[in-house]
């Protein structure tokens, strides 16, 4: 991986996603199971809107941090 390719940044970002996801499951597995069960009861449009909101917030954070 060469500097400036962006692949290193992508790898770090994916690694951080796994860290936070794993941390949530390790610290609160019962809560995570409850959250997943509740998500199954939501309609697709609500899930889609939540996903889009998370996407836009993520893009905004990256944009603010990376310029």
């Amino acid at each position: 991986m060469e500097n400036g390719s962006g692949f290193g940044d992508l790898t770090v970002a994916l690694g951080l996603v796994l860290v936070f996801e794993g941390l949530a499951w390790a610290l609160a597995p019962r809560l995570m199971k409850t959250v997943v069960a509740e998500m199954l009861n939501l309609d697709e449009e609500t899930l889609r809107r939540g996903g889009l909101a998370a996407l836009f917030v993520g893009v905004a954070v990256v944009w603010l941090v990376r310029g």
Side-chain angles (χ1 to χ4, degrees):
M1 289 183 274
E2 60 187 65
N3 280 341
S5 70
F7 187 72
D9 289 342
L10 178 63
T11 304
V12 169
L14 291 175
L16 285 172
V17 168
L18 292 173
V19 166
F20 288 116
E21 188 80 17
L23 188 62
W25 282 100
L27 293 179
R30 187 175 302 162
L31 175 63
M32 292 298 291
K33 286 173 71 172
T34 302
V35 169
V36 171
E38 288 296 323
M39 287 176 65
L40 292 173
N41 295 325
L42 295 174
D43 62 293
E44 289 182 11
E45 188 60 29
T46 301
L47 291 170
R48 182 173 289 112
R49 287 181 183 169
L52 285 171
L55 179 128
F56 289 127
V57 169
V59 168
V61 168
V62 170
W63 187 30
L64 288 171
V65 171
R66 300 296 287 186

Short mmCIF file of all heavy atoms in Angstrom, two decimals:
data_model
loop_
_atom_site.label_atom_id
_atom_site.label_comp_id
_atom_site.label_asym_id
_atom_site.label_seq_id
_atom_site.Cartn_x
_atom_site.Cartn_y
_atom_site.Cartn_z
N MET A 1 0.84 -1.18 0.00
CA MET A 1 0.00 0.00 0.00
C MET A 1 0.88 1.24 0.00
O MET A 1 1.63 1.47 0.92
CB MET A 1 -0.89 0.00 1.24
CG MET A 1 -1.98 -1.04 1.18
SD MET A 1 -3.08 -0.97 2.60
CE MET A 1 -2.18 -1.99 3.75
N GLU A 2 0.74 2.00 -1.02
CA GLU A 2 1.55 3.22 -1.12
C GLU A 2 0.82 4.40 -0.52
O GLU A 2 -0.40 4.42 -0.40
CB GLU A 2 1.90 3.48 -2.58
CG GLU A 2 0.67 3.68 -3.45
CD GLU A 2 1.00 3.78 -4.92
OE1 GLU A 2 1.48 2.78 -5.46
OE2 GLU A 2 0.78 4.86 -5.48
N ASN A 3 1.56 5.40 -0.10
CA ASN A 3 0.97 6.60 0.46
C ASN A 3 0.14 7.32 -0.58
O ASN A 3 0.51 7.42 -1.73
CB ASN A 3 2.05 7.54 0.98
CG ASN A 3 2.56 7.13 2.33
OD1 ASN A 3 1.91 6.38 3.03
ND2 ASN A 3 3.72 7.62 2.70
N GLY A 4 -1.00 7.85 -0.14
CA GLY A 4 -1.83 8.64 -1.03
C GLY A 4 -2.78 7.84 -1.90
O GLY A 4 -3.55 8.40 -2.64
N SER A 5 -2.73 6.50 -1.81
CA SER A 5 -3.60 5.70 -2.67
C SER A 5 -5.03 5.67 -2.16
O SER A 5 -5.94 5.40 -2.91
CB SER A 5 -3.07 4.26 -2.78
OG SER A 5 -3.24 3.58 -1.55
N GLY A 6 -5.23 5.96 -0.88
CA GLY A 6 -6.56 5.91 -0.31
C GLY A 6 -6.94 4.52 0.16
O GLY A 6 -7.84 4.36 0.97
N PHE A 7 -6.24 3.50 -0.33
CA PHE A 7 -6.55 2.14 0.08
C PHE A 7 -6.23 1.93 1.55
O PHE A 7 -6.96 1.25 2.26
CB PHE A 7 -5.79 1.14 -0.79
CG PHE A 7 -6.19 -0.29 -0.55
CD1 PHE A 7 -7.43 -0.74 -0.98
CD2 PHE A 7 -5.35 -1.16 0.12
CE1 PHE A 7 -7.82 -2.05 -0.75
CE2 PHE A 7 -5.73 -2.46 0.36
CZ PHE A 7 -6.96 -2.91 -0.08
N GLY A 8 -5.17 2.54 2.02
CA GLY A 8 -4.80 2.44 3.43
C GLY A 8 -5.86 3.07 4.31
O GLY A 8 -6.24 2.52 5.35
N ASP A 9 -6.37 4.23 3.90
CA ASP A 9 -7.44 4.89 4.65
C ASP A 9 -8.70 4.02 4.67
O ASP A 9 -9.37 3.92 5.70
CB ASP A 9 -7.78 6.25 4.04
CG ASP A 9 -6.70 7.29 4.28
OD1 ASP A 9 -5.86 7.09 5.18
OD2 ASP A 9 -6.69 8.30 3.55
N LEU A 10 -9.03 3.42 3.56
CA LEU A 10 -10.20 2.55 3.49
C LEU A 10 -10.04 1.36 4.42
O LEU A 10 -10.97 0.98 5.13
CB LEU A 10 -10.44 2.08 2.06
CG LEU A 10 -11.61 1.12 1.86
CD1 LEU A 10 -12.93 1.79 2.23
CD2 LEU A 10 -11.64 0.62 0.43
N THR A 11 -8.87 0.78 4.43
CA THR A 11 -8.59 -0.36 5.29
C THR A 11 -8.72 0.02 6.77
O THR A 11 -9.30 -0.70 7.57
CB THR A 11 -7.19 -0.93 5.01
OG1 THR A 11 -7.11 -1.25 3.61
CG2 THR A 11 -6.91 -2.17 5.82
N VAL A 12 -8.18 1.18 7.12
CA VAL A 12 -8.29 1.66 8.50
C VAL A 12 -9.75 1.91 8.86
O VAL A 12 -10.21 1.54 9.95
CB VAL A 12 -7.44 2.94 8.71
CG1 VAL A 12 -7.75 3.59 10.04
CG2 VAL A 12 -5.96 2.61 8.61
N ALA A 13 -10.50 2.51 7.96
CA ALA A 13 -11.92 2.78 8.22
C ALA A 13 -12.69 1.49 8.44
O ALA A 13 -13.50 1.39 9.37
CB ALA A 13 -12.52 3.57 7.06
N LEU A 14 -12.46 0.50 7.60
CA LEU A 14 -13.14 -0.79 7.77
C LEU A 14 -12.73 -1.46 9.08
O LEU A 14 -13.55 -2.07 9.76
CB LEU A 14 -12.86 -1.70 6.57
CG LEU A 14 -13.49 -1.25 5.26
CD1 LEU A 14 -13.04 -2.15 4.12
CD2 LEU A 14 -15.00 -1.23 5.35
N GLY A 15 -11.46 -1.34 9.42
CA GLY A 15 -10.98 -1.88 10.69
C GLY A 15 -11.66 -1.22 11.87
O GLY A 15 -12.04 -1.89 12.84
N LEU A 16 -11.83 0.09 11.81
CA LEU A 16 -12.50 0.80 12.90
C LEU A 16 -13.96 0.41 13.01
O LEU A 16 -14.51 0.31 14.12
CB LEU A 16 -12.36 2.31 12.71
CG LEU A 16 -10.99 2.88 13.03
CD1 LEU A 16 -10.91 4.35 12.62
CD2 LEU A 16 -10.68 2.72 14.51
N VAL A 17 -14.61 0.18 11.89
CA VAL A 17 -16.00 -0.30 11.93
C VAL A 17 -16.05 -1.63 12.68
O VAL A 17 -16.91 -1.83 13.55
CB VAL A 17 -16.57 -0.46 10.50
CG1 VAL A 17 -17.88 -1.24 10.53
CG2 VAL A 17 -16.78 0.89 9.86
N LEU A 18 -15.14 -2.52 12.38
CA LEU A 18 -15.10 -3.81 13.06
C LEU A 18 -14.80 -3.67 14.54
O LEU A 18 -15.36 -4.39 15.38
CB LEU A 18 -14.08 -4.74 12.39
CG LEU A 18 -14.43 -5.20 10.99
CD1 LEU A 18 -13.26 -5.97 10.37
CD2 LEU A 18 -15.68 -6.07 11.01
N VAL A 19 -13.91 -2.74 14.89
CA VAL A 19 -13.59 -2.49 16.30
C VAL A 19 -14.84 -2.07 17.06
O VAL A 19 -15.18 -2.62 18.11
CB VAL A 19 -12.48 -1.44 16.44
CG1 VAL A 19 -12.38 -0.92 17.87
CG2 VAL A 19 -11.14 -2.01 16.00
N PHE A 20 -15.55 -1.06 16.56
CA PHE A 20 -16.72 -0.55 17.26
C PHE A 20 -17.86 -1.56 17.27
O PHE A 20 -18.58 -1.69 18.27
CB PHE A 20 -17.16 0.79 16.68
CG PHE A 20 -16.23 1.90 17.03
CD1 PHE A 20 -15.52 2.57 16.03
CD2 PHE A 20 -16.01 2.28 18.34
CE1 PHE A 20 -14.64 3.59 16.35
CE2 PHE A 20 -15.13 3.29 18.67
CZ PHE A 20 -14.45 3.95 17.68
N GLU A 21 -18.04 -2.26 16.18
CA GLU A 21 -19.08 -3.28 16.12
C GLU A 21 -18.76 -4.41 17.11
O GLU A 21 -19.63 -4.84 17.88
CB GLU A 21 -19.18 -3.84 14.70
CG GLU A 21 -20.34 -4.78 14.49
CD GLU A 21 -21.65 -4.06 14.28
OE1 GLU A 21 -21.64 -2.86 13.98
OE2 GLU A 21 -22.70 -4.72 14.43
N GLY A 22 -17.53 -4.85 17.11
CA GLY A 22 -17.12 -5.90 18.04
C GLY A 22 -17.21 -5.45 19.49
O GLY A 22 -17.60 -6.23 20.37
N LEU A 23 -16.87 -4.20 19.75
CA LEU A 23 -16.95 -3.66 21.10
C LEU A 23 -18.39 -3.67 21.61
O LEU A 23 -18.66 -4.06 22.76
CB LEU A 23 -16.38 -2.24 21.11
CG LEU A 23 -16.19 -1.58 22.46
CD1 LEU A 23 -15.20 -2.35 23.31
CD2 LEU A 23 -15.72 -0.15 22.26
N ALA A 24 -19.31 -3.28 20.76
CA ALA A 24 -20.72 -3.27 21.16
C ALA A 24 -21.19 -4.68 21.50
O ALA A 24 -21.86 -4.89 22.52
CB ALA A 24 -21.58 -2.67 20.04
N TRP A 25 -20.85 -5.66 20.67
CA TRP A 25 -21.27 -7.03 20.92
C TRP A 25 -20.56 -7.62 22.14
O TRP A 25 -21.15 -8.41 22.89
CB TRP A 25 -21.02 -7.91 19.70
CG TRP A 25 -22.07 -7.71 18.64
CD1 TRP A 25 -21.97 -6.95 17.53
CD2 TRP A 25 -23.39 -8.26 18.64
NE1 TRP A 25 -23.15 -7.00 16.82
CE2 TRP A 25 -24.03 -7.79 17.47
CE3 TRP A 25 -24.08 -9.10 19.49
CZ2 TRP A 25 -25.34 -8.14 17.16
CZ3 TRP A 25 -25.39 -9.45 19.18
CH2 TRP A 25 -26.00 -8.96 18.02
N ALA A 26 -19.30 -7.24 22.38
CA ALA A 26 -18.55 -7.77 23.52
C ALA A 26 -19.05 -7.19 24.83
O ALA A 26 -19.12 -7.89 25.85
CB ALA A 26 -17.07 -7.48 23.34
N LEU A 27 -19.39 -5.90 24.86
CA LEU A 27 -19.78 -5.24 26.10
C LEU A 27 -21.27 -5.41 26.44
O LEU A 27 -21.63 -5.42 27.61
CB LEU A 27 -19.45 -3.75 26.03
CG LEU A 27 -17.98 -3.39 25.99
CD1 LEU A 27 -17.80 -1.88 25.90
CD2 LEU A 27 -17.24 -3.94 27.20
N ALA A 28 -22.10 -5.52 25.42
CA ALA A 28 -23.55 -5.58 25.68
C ALA A 28 -24.26 -6.53 24.71
O ALA A 28 -25.10 -6.11 23.92
CB ALA A 28 -24.13 -4.18 25.57
N PRO A 29 -23.95 -7.82 24.78
CA PRO A 29 -24.58 -8.74 23.82
C PRO A 29 -26.10 -8.82 23.96
O PRO A 29 -26.80 -8.93 22.96
CB PRO A 29 -23.92 -10.09 24.14
CG PRO A 29 -23.34 -9.95 25.50
CD PRO A 29 -23.03 -8.50 25.68
N ARG A 30 -26.61 -8.74 25.19
CA ARG A 30 -28.06 -8.81 25.37
C ARG A 30 -28.75 -7.60 24.74
O ARG A 30 -29.77 -7.72 24.07
CB ARG A 30 -28.41 -8.91 26.85
CG ARG A 30 -29.89 -9.16 27.09
CD ARG A 30 -30.19 -9.38 28.54
NE ARG A 30 -29.40 -10.52 29.01
CZ ARG A 30 -29.15 -10.78 30.28
NH1 ARG A 30 -29.63 -9.99 31.21
NH2 ARG A 30 -28.43 -11.83 30.63
N LEU A 31 -28.17 -6.43 24.96
CA LEU A 31 -28.72 -5.21 24.36
C LEU A 31 -28.66 -5.28 22.83
O LEU A 31 -29.63 -4.91 22.16
CB LEU A 31 -27.95 -3.97 24.85
CG LEU A 31 -28.35 -2.64 24.22
CD1 LEU A 31 -29.79 -2.30 24.54
CD2 LEU A 31 -27.42 -1.54 24.68
N MET A 32 -27.57 -5.77 22.30
CA MET A 32 -27.44 -5.87 20.84
C MET A 32 -28.48 -6.83 20.26
O MET A 32 -29.05 -6.57 19.20
CB MET A 32 -26.03 -6.31 20.46
CG MET A 32 -24.96 -5.27 20.75
SD MET A 32 -25.20 -3.74 19.83
CE MET A 32 -24.84 -4.29 18.19
N LYS A 33 -28.74 -7.94 20.97
CA LYS A 33 -29.77 -8.87 20.51
C LYS A 33 -31.15 -8.20 20.52
O LYS A 33 -31.95 -8.40 19.62
CB LYS A 33 -29.78 -10.12 21.39
CG LYS A 33 -28.60 -11.04 21.12
CD LYS A 33 -28.53 -12.18 22.09
CE LYS A 33 -29.63 -13.18 21.85
NZ LYS A 33 -29.48 -14.40 22.68
N THR A 34 -31.39 -7.38 21.54
CA THR A 34 -32.65 -6.65 21.63
C THR A 34 -32.78 -5.65 20.48
O THR A 34 -33.84 -5.54 19.86
CB THR A 34 -32.76 -5.91 22.98
OG1 THR A 34 -32.65 -6.87 24.03
CG2 THR A 34 -34.08 -5.17 23.10
N VAL A 35 -31.69 -4.96 20.19
CA VAL A 35 -31.69 -3.98 19.10
C VAL A 35 -31.97 -4.67 17.77
O VAL A 35 -32.79 -4.21 16.96
CB VAL A 35 -30.36 -3.20 19.06
CG1 VAL A 35 -30.23 -2.39 17.78
CG2 VAL A 35 -30.23 -2.31 20.28
N VAL A 36 -31.32 -5.79 17.53
CA VAL A 36 -31.52 -6.53 16.28
C VAL A 36 -32.96 -7.03 16.19
O VAL A 36 -33.60 -6.94 15.13
CB VAL A 36 -30.51 -7.69 16.15
CG1 VAL A 36 -30.86 -8.59 14.99
CG2 VAL A 36 -29.10 -7.15 16.00
N ALA A 37 -33.51 -7.53 17.29
CA ALA A 37 -34.89 -8.01 17.29
C ALA A 37 -35.85 -6.86 16.99
O ALA A 37 -36.83 -7.04 16.24
CB ALA A 37 -35.23 -8.65 18.63
N GLU A 38 -35.58 -5.69 17.55
CA GLU A 38 -36.43 -4.52 17.29
C GLU A 38 -36.33 -4.08 15.83
O GLU A 38 -37.32 -3.65 15.22
CB GLU A 38 -36.07 -3.36 18.20
CG GLU A 38 -36.48 -3.55 19.64
CD GLU A 38 -37.99 -3.62 19.81
OE1 GLU A 38 -38.72 -2.89 19.09
OE2 GLU A 38 -38.43 -4.40 20.66
N MET A 39 -35.13 -4.20 15.26
CA MET A 39 -34.94 -3.83 13.85
C MET A 39 -35.78 -4.72 12.94
O MET A 39 -36.26 -4.27 11.90
CB MET A 39 -33.47 -3.89 13.47
CG MET A 39 -32.65 -2.77 14.05
SD MET A 39 -30.90 -2.93 13.69
CE MET A 39 -30.89 -2.73 11.93
N LEU A 40 -35.94 -5.98 13.32
CA LEU A 40 -36.74 -6.89 12.51
C LEU A 40 -38.20 -6.47 12.45
O LEU A 40 -38.91 -6.82 11.51
CB LEU A 40 -36.62 -8.33 13.05
CG LEU A 40 -35.26 -8.98 12.90
CD1 LEU A 40 -35.23 -10.32 13.62
CD2 LEU A 40 -34.91 -9.16 11.43
N ASN A 41 -38.65 -5.71 13.44
CA ASN A 41 -40.04 -5.26 13.48
C ASN A 41 -40.27 -3.96 12.70
O ASN A 41 -41.41 -3.56 12.50
CB ASN A 41 -40.49 -5.05 14.93
CG ASN A 41 -40.53 -6.35 15.69
OD1 ASN A 41 -40.85 -7.39 15.15
ND2 ASN A 41 -40.18 -6.29 16.97
N LEU A 42 -39.20 -3.30 12.29
CA LEU A 42 -39.32 -2.04 11.56
C LEU A 42 -39.61 -2.30 10.09
O LEU A 42 -39.14 -3.29 9.52
CB LEU A 42 -38.04 -1.22 11.70
CG LEU A 42 -37.70 -0.72 13.10
CD1 LEU A 42 -36.34 -0.04 13.09
CD2 LEU A 42 -38.76 0.23 13.61
N ASP A 43 -40.35 -1.39 9.48
CA ASP A 43 -40.60 -1.55 8.05
C ASP A 43 -39.35 -1.12 7.26
O ASP A 43 -38.47 -0.44 7.79
CB ASP A 43 -41.82 -0.72 7.62
CG ASP A 43 -41.63 0.76 7.85
OD1 ASP A 43 -41.55 1.17 9.02
OD2 ASP A 43 -41.56 1.50 6.86
N GLU A 44 -39.30 -1.54 6.02
CA GLU A 44 -38.11 -1.30 5.20
C GLU A 44 -37.83 0.19 4.99
O GLU A 44 -36.68 0.61 4.94
CB GLU A 44 -38.25 -2.00 3.84
CG GLU A 44 -38.15 -3.50 3.94
CD GLU A 44 -38.24 -4.18 2.59
OE1 GLU A 44 -38.19 -3.49 1.55
OE2 GLU A 44 -38.36 -5.42 2.59
N GLU A 45 -38.87 1.00 4.88
CA GLU A 45 -38.67 2.43 4.65
C GLU A 45 -37.99 3.09 5.85
O GLU A 45 -37.11 3.93 5.69
CB GLU A 45 -40.01 3.11 4.35
CG GLU A 45 -39.87 4.55 3.91
CD GLU A 45 -39.06 4.71 2.63
OE1 GLU A 45 -39.05 3.80 1.78
OE2 GLU A 45 -38.41 5.77 2.49
N THR A 46 -38.36 2.70 7.05
CA THR A 46 -37.73 3.24 8.25
C THR A 46 -36.26 2.83 8.30
O THR A 46 -35.39 3.65 8.62
CB THR A 46 -38.47 2.75 9.51
OG1 THR A 46 -39.83 3.17 9.45
CG2 THR A 46 -37.82 3.29 10.77
N LEU A 47 -35.98 1.58 8.00
CA LEU A 47 -34.59 1.11 7.97
C LEU A 47 -33.79 1.85 6.89
O LEU A 47 -32.63 2.23 7.12
CB LEU A 47 -34.53 -0.40 7.72
CG LEU A 47 -35.04 -1.27 8.87
CD1 LEU A 47 -35.15 -2.71 8.42
CD2 LEU A 47 -34.14 -1.15 10.08
N ARG A 48 -34.41 2.06 5.74
CA ARG A 48 -33.73 2.76 4.65
C ARG A 48 -33.40 4.20 5.06
O ARG A 48 -32.30 4.69 4.83
CB ARG A 48 -34.61 2.75 3.40
CG ARG A 48 -33.98 3.42 2.19
CD ARG A 48 -34.81 3.23 0.93
NE ARG A 48 -34.73 1.84 0.49
CZ ARG A 48 -35.75 0.98 0.51
NH1 ARG A 48 -36.94 1.35 0.94
NH2 ARG A 48 -35.60 -0.26 0.09
N ARG A 49 -34.36 4.86 5.69
CA ARG A 49 -34.12 6.25 6.14
C ARG A 49 -33.03 6.30 7.20
O ARG A 49 -32.20 7.21 7.20
CB ARG A 49 -35.40 6.86 6.66
CG ARG A 49 -36.38 7.20 5.56
CD ARG A 49 -37.62 7.83 6.09
NE ARG A 49 -38.55 8.08 4.99
CZ ARG A 49 -39.79 8.44 5.16
NH1 ARG A 49 -40.28 8.61 6.38
NH2 ARG A 49 -40.57 8.64 4.12
N GLY A 50 -33.03 5.35 8.11
CA GLY A 50 -31.98 5.29 9.12
C GLY A 50 -30.61 5.05 8.49
O GLY A 50 -29.62 5.66 8.89
N GLY A 51 -30.57 4.17 7.51
CA GLY A 51 -29.33 3.90 6.80
C GLY A 51 -28.83 5.11 6.04
O GLY A 51 -27.63 5.42 6.05
N LEU A 52 -29.74 5.82 5.39
CA LEU A 52 -29.34 7.03 4.67
C LEU A 52 -28.87 8.13 5.63
O LEU A 52 -27.90 8.83 5.33
CB LEU A 52 -30.51 7.55 3.83
CG LEU A 52 -30.79 6.75 2.56
CD1 LEU A 52 -32.11 7.22 1.92
CD2 LEU A 52 -29.66 6.86 1.58
N ALA A 53 -29.53 8.24 6.78
CA ALA A 53 -29.10 9.23 7.77
C ALA A 53 -27.69 8.90 8.26
O ALA A 53 -26.83 9.78 8.36
CB ALA A 53 -30.08 9.27 8.94
N ALA A 54 -27.43 7.63 8.55
CA ALA A 54 -26.10 7.22 8.98
C ALA A 54 -25.06 7.47 7.89
O ALA A 54 -23.95 7.92 8.17
CB ALA A 54 -26.11 5.74 9.37
N LEU A 55 -25.43 7.20 6.65
CA LEU A 55 -24.54 7.44 5.52
C LEU A 55 -24.16 8.91 5.43
O LEU A 55 -22.98 9.26 5.31
CB LEU A 55 -25.21 6.98 4.22
CG LEU A 55 -24.39 7.18 2.97
CD1 LEU A 55 -24.32 5.88 2.20
CD2 LEU A 55 -25.02 8.26 2.12
N PHE A 56 -25.15 9.81 5.50
CA PHE A 56 -24.88 11.24 5.38
C PHE A 56 -24.07 11.76 6.56
O PHE A 56 -23.17 12.58 6.38
CB PHE A 56 -26.18 12.02 5.21
CG PHE A 56 -26.82 11.84 3.87
CD1 PHE A 56 -28.14 11.44 3.76
CD2 PHE A 56 -26.10 12.04 2.69
CE1 PHE A 56 -28.73 11.26 2.52
CE2 PHE A 56 -26.67 11.87 1.45
CZ PHE A 56 -28.00 11.48 1.36
N VAL A 57 -24.37 11.28 7.75
CA VAL A 57 -23.58 11.70 8.92
C VAL A 57 -22.14 11.22 8.76
O VAL A 57 -21.19 11.97 9.03
CB VAL A 57 -24.20 11.17 10.23
CG1 VAL A 57 -23.26 11.36 11.41
CG2 VAL A 57 -25.53 11.87 10.50
N GLY A 58 -21.95 9.99 8.31
CA GLY A 58 -20.61 9.46 8.10
C GLY A 58 -19.83 10.25 7.07
O GLY A 58 -18.66 10.58 7.27
N VAL A 59 -20.48 10.59 5.96
CA VAL A 59 -19.83 11.39 4.92
C VAL A 59 -19.47 12.77 5.47
O VAL A 59 -18.37 13.28 5.23
CB VAL A 59 -20.72 11.50 3.66
CG1 VAL A 59 -20.19 12.56 2.70
CG2 VAL A 59 -20.81 10.16 2.96
N ALA A 60 -20.37 13.36 6.24
CA ALA A 60 -20.11 14.68 6.82
C ALA A 60 -18.93 14.65 7.78
O ALA A 60 -18.07 15.54 7.76
CB ALA A 60 -21.36 15.22 7.53
N VAL A 61 -18.86 13.62 8.60
CA VAL A 61 -17.74 13.49 9.54
C VAL A 61 -16.42 13.35 8.79
O VAL A 61 -15.44 14.03 9.10
CB VAL A 61 -17.96 12.29 10.50
CG1 VAL A 61 -16.70 11.97 11.28
CG2 VAL A 61 -19.11 12.59 11.45
N VAL A 62 -16.40 12.48 7.79
CA VAL A 62 -15.18 12.29 7.01
C VAL A 62 -14.79 13.59 6.31
O VAL A 62 -13.63 13.98 6.29
CB VAL A 62 -15.33 11.15 5.98
CG1 VAL A 62 -14.17 11.10 5.03
CG2 VAL A 62 -15.48 9.82 6.71
N TRP A 63 -15.77 14.27 5.75
CA TRP A 63 -15.51 15.53 5.05
C TRP A 63 -14.95 16.59 6.00
O TRP A 63 -13.99 17.30 5.66
CB TRP A 63 -16.80 16.02 4.39
CG TRP A 63 -16.65 17.22 3.50
CD1 TRP A 63 -15.53 17.58 2.78
CD2 TRP A 63 -17.62 18.21 3.23
NE1 TRP A 63 -15.78 18.73 2.07
CE2 TRP A 63 -17.05 19.14 2.33
CE3 TRP A 63 -18.93 18.40 3.64
CZ2 TRP A 63 -17.75 20.24 1.86
CZ3 TRP A 63 -19.62 19.49 3.16
CH2 TRP A 63 -19.03 20.40 2.28
N LEU A 64 -15.52 16.69 7.19
CA LEU A 64 -15.03 17.67 8.16
C LEU A 64 -13.62 17.34 8.65
O LEU A 64 -12.79 18.23 8.84
CB LEU A 64 -15.99 17.76 9.34
CG LEU A 64 -17.32 18.44 9.07
CD1 LEU A 64 -18.26 18.28 10.26
CD2 LEU A 64 -17.13 19.91 8.74
N VAL A 65 -13.36 16.05 8.87
CA VAL A 65 -12.06 15.64 9.40
C VAL A 65 -10.97 15.69 8.33
O VAL A 65 -9.85 16.16 8.58
CB VAL A 65 -12.15 14.23 10.03
CG1 VAL A 65 -10.78 13.69 10.38
CG2 VAL A 65 -13.04 14.26 11.25
N ARG A 66 -11.29 15.20 7.15
CA ARG A 66 -10.29 15.08 6.09
C ARG A 66 -10.20 16.31 5.21
O ARG A 66 -9.26 16.47 4.44
CB ARG A 66 -10.57 13.87 5.22
CG ARG A 66 -10.56 12.54 5.96
CD ARG A 66 -9.23 12.21 6.53
NE ARG A 66 -8.36 11.85 5.43
CZ ARG A 66 -7.14 11.40 5.58
NH1 ARG A 66 -6.64 11.26 6.77
NH2 ARG A 66 -6.40 11.11 4.55
N GLY A 67 -11.21 17.17 5.26
CA GLY A 67 -11.19 18.40 4.48
C GLY A 67 -11.47 18.13 3.07
O GLY A 67 -11.21 18.57 2.09
#
